[in-house]
Amino acid sequence: PYGLEMEESWNIGLNLTHTIKLGGKDLTISLDGYHTRFENQVIVDLEDPRLVKFYNLEGKSFSNSLQFQAEFSPLKSLDLRIAYRFNDAKTTFSGELMEKPLSAKHRAFINAAYSTSNGWKFDATLNWQGKKRIPDTNSNPEIYRLEAWSKGYFLLNAHISKAWKEKFELYI
């Protein structure tokens, strides 16, 4: 449709998972690595702040991802999880191989989930996203120009819920 060719890529990946006994409890550690190489890709080019261009890939495009994750339940009702992901994603925009815009190279999170026997559940996740490349805005008037990179940030999500006999649940 719209004169664009179908996307085509090659993917390869590996997952290693190992469980270790720690204080009589299971600590599960996972390591994932993936590589995607695009033979053809629909490019959404935002490099000109006045245009959004769609075209087929003319050059290289790839993504390398490495993720580490650890899961541990120190108590019967408490689950802890921590993860870190490194993404190296580059695409050719108008003949130049560049880091994929608006995509963090580094990401991490910590999650804690606790539940009680009477239906209460508590969950909190702290996410961190590293800096992201912002498409070039240098052709804008100076007042509307942005930095080349965004700042990293943290985001905290929390959830509290109460269930009654698996028929009704209230959450905040």
Side-chain angles (χ1 to χ4, degrees):
Y2 309 105
L4 298 171
E5 296 175 24
M6 183 172 40
E7 292 191 324
E8 181 181 345
S9 66
W10 290 91
N11 303 291
I12 187 168
L14 178 67
N15 170 272
L16 301 171
T17 302
H18 186 68
T19 301
I20 303 167
K21 286 289 185 190
L22 187 64
K25 307 285 183 175
D26 288 344
L27 168 64
T28 303
I29 298 171
S30 299
L31 182 64
D32 297 298
Y34 295 96
H35 170 76
T36 302
R37 185 187 66 200
F38 287 91
E39 298 293 323
N40 192 29
Q41 183 178 27
V42 174
I43 304 299
V44 180
D45 188 338
L46 304 170
E47 297 305 316
D48 181 339
R50 291 173 183 81
L51 294 173
V52 177
K53 296 186 266 184
F54 297 89
Y55 52 86
N56 285 107
L57 177 66
E58 296 173 5
K60 293 182 180 183
S61 182
F62 63 86
S63 173
N64 296 308
S65 177
L66 188 62
Q67 179 172 307
F68 167 81
Q69 181 172 309
E71 298 179 33
F72 186 60
S73 297
L75 305 172
K76 181 181 176 186
S77 301
L78 178 64
D79 296 321
L80 303 174
R81 181 180 295 159
I82 186 169
Y84 167 79
R85 180 182 295 162
F86 170 79
N87 283 318
D88 179 28
K90 293 187 177 167
T91 302
T92 303
F93 294 98
S94 300
E96 185 178 351
L97 185 63
M98 305 169 77
E99 195 158 321
K100 187 175 178 183
L102 310 176
S103 180
K105 186 174 268 197
H106 303 278
R107 298 176 74 163
F109 79 85
I110 298 172
N111 172 263
Y114 180 75
S115 60
T116 65
S117 59
N118 62 352
W120 285 97
K121 295 178 187 175
F122 305 88
D123 188 286
T125 303
L126 180 63
N127 290 286
W128 171 70
Q129 289 202 22
K131 66 182 184 177
K132 300 173 187 175
R133 186 178 76 77
I134 298 175
D136 187 14
T137 58
N138 286 331
S139 63
N140 282 345
E142 191 169 341
I143 192 170
Y144 299 114
R145 292 180 191 163
L146 301 173
E147 296 291 325
W149 293 87
S150 73
K151 294 180 181 177
Y153 63 91
F154 288 93
L155 177 66
L156 177 63
N157 295 308
H159 178 103
I160 300 171
S161 66
K162 169 69 172 146
W164 289 270
K165 297 185 180 183
E166 298 183 17
K167 294 183 180 188
F168 181 75
E169 188 169 337
L170 181 65
Y171 69 92
I172 297 174

